[in-house]
Amino acid sequence: MKQNNKRRAMILLWGCIAVIALCIAGALAVLLPLPKPETLEIPGQRGTIPATIQMPGKLSRNDETPLVVLCHGFTGNRGGDTHFTQLAQDLAEQGMASVRMDFAGCGESAEPDTAYTLGNMTQDVDSIVAYMQQTYGLDGPIALVGHSMGGRLASLYPQQGSYPVDALVLWSPANGTGLQGLEFLNIDDFSQVEAMAAEALANGKVSAPKWNTEISDVFVQEMQNSDPNAALREAGLPVLLTYAGHETLFTEQTVAETIATVESLPDSQVVLDPFVDGDHNYFGPSGKEDPQTPVMDQALREATETFLRDTLS
């Protein structure tokens, strides 16, 4: 009897030690400071890509840490209209690695404006994923977060990219079918958009005065030949879609068609209510200084983080 009691006591003791060890490990994981963001030039297919990497404090077992690639919009940069920097830190706190980059002709990119094409953006995402897998040994799920034209890229990537993707987050994607995707160049007069497209096809490029940039014939052709919502339906991936209440760059038709597409997909969500007073860049009515801006940014990040955590875990 004494021997049995001793054995039970030892089992209980080791059980308690195991629980304490797990608690300590969990506490250390929480308290472990995040690595600082690393700004660097990542090797690409056309040169180097200006990028910022944010790693979590601790990698998952078997290097299955999720990787999130953050894709900015037309004429934007890796800051993602101020949203990407804090989002990257939040994702790292939840155990996800992320990379945000400047696409061709944007931010610190050395390439000309006319190098901004869907094909080049796809190549850059390929290069980013390859670098992260080779450098950090990441072999976990992959998600893309895309804003505006970055959202169109993300929608098309499962069809056109080199790596399998597990989830997509689309913030106000420019998902008009074909040339309609360029409606943001002149939302008030689509005939002017068609005229600009014709000039680009005839001369190799055209000026887009509203955006202080130039677009190439290749970009116009890619837009004409792509249907991002059809690509979403074909891929059937989990998608989180958001649109703001004051989307002055897209027609109601584009917004409605994209919402209907995502609502038809399994394990997908459309989140609109927190952003009814926001503009395309998720700022309040008065711009970046509006008191609603931080709240809107927080809601955007929280919706994104919750979706990615639930989908990639």
Side-chain angles (χ1 to χ4, degrees), residues 22 25 58-66 137 139-140:
L22 287 173
K58 181 180 179 181
L59 296 181
S60 301
R61 288 186 177 183
N62 302 320
D63 298 327
E64 292 186 353
T65 298
D139 195 28

Side-chain angles (χ1 to χ4, degrees), residues 175-232:
N175 274 19
T177 302
L179 198 60
Q180 192 71 36
L182 288 174
E183 60 194 354
F184 61 88
L185 294 177
N186 191 331
I187 189 65
D188 298 319
D189 187 354
F190 191 70
S191 68
Q192 291 299 312
V193 176
E194 294 173 317
M196 293 170 64
E199 183 177 343
L201 294 174
N203 300 325
K205 62 182 180 180
V206 67
S207 174
K210 178 179 178 179
W211 300 91
N212 193 30
T213 188
E214 291 182 322
I215 59 175
S216 69
D217 56 339
V218 174
F219 184 51
V220 170
Q221 289 171 342
E222 290 172 336
M223 297 297 286
Q224 284 182 325
N225 297 331
S226 58
D227 185 341
N229 288 336
L232 288 175

Side-chain angles (χ1 to χ4, degrees), residues 93-209:
E93 290 173 353
Q94 299 189 41
M96 300 181 224
S98 67
V99 185
R100 51 196 191 271
M101 80 204 87
D102 292 330
F103 286 120
C106 300
E108 297 180 358
S109 168
E111 296 186 85
D113 295 349
T114 50
Y116 184 89
T117 68
L118 291 170
N120 286 347
M121 294 163 74
T122 300
Q123 283 186 359
D124 289 350
V125 173
D126 285 345
S127 297
I128 292 295
V129 174
Y131 179 86
M132 295 301 290
Q133 291 185 346
Q134 294 165 10
T135 304
Y136 294 93
L138 300 185
D139 195 28
I142 299 171
L144 303 185
V145 176
H147 176 226
S148 197
M149 188 58 69
R152 187 184 188 95
L153 163 71
S155 301
L156 295 168
Y157 186 84
Q159 273 189 342
Q160 302 177 357
S162 300
Y163 293 88
V165 176
D166 298 275
L168 302 172
V169 176
L170 311 178
W171 297 349
S172 301
N175 274 19
T177 302
L179 198 60
Q180 192 71 36
L182 288 174
E183 60 194 354
F184 61 88
L185 294 177
N186 191 331
I187 189 65
D188 298 319
D189 187 354
F190 191 70
S191 68
Q192 291 299 312
V193 176
E194 294 173 317
M196 293 170 64
E199 183 177 343
L201 294 174
N203 300 325
K205 62 182 180 180
V206 67
S207 174

Side-chain angles (χ1 to χ4, degrees), residues 263-303:
E263 287 179 337
S264 73
L265 300 174
D267 303 316
S268 297
Q269 302 173 26
V270 176
V271 178
L272 305 175
D273 289 348
F275 317 116
V276 292
D277 293 323
D279 63 13
H280 178 69
N281 292 326
Y282 296 87
F283 298 134
S286 301
K288 296 182 181 180
E289 302 304 320
D290 188 273
Q292 296 182 74
T293 298
V295 176
M296 212 169 297
D297 175 73
Q298 181 179 353
L300 186 63
R301 289 186 287 107
E302 286 181 351

Side-chain angles (χ1 to χ4, degrees), residues 21-32:
L22 287 173
C23 291
I24 293 173
L28 288 175
V30 171
L31 295 174
L32 192 66

Side-chain angles (χ1 to χ4, degrees), residues 77-101:
N77 58 55
R78 77 186 90 166
D81 292 293
T82 73
H83 302 300
F84 281 175
T85 302
Q86 185 61 51
L87 174 63
Q89 181 173 328
D90 293 350
L91 293 174
E93 290 173 353
Q94 299 189 41
M96 300 181 224
S98 67
V99 185
R100 51 196 191 271
M101 80 204 87

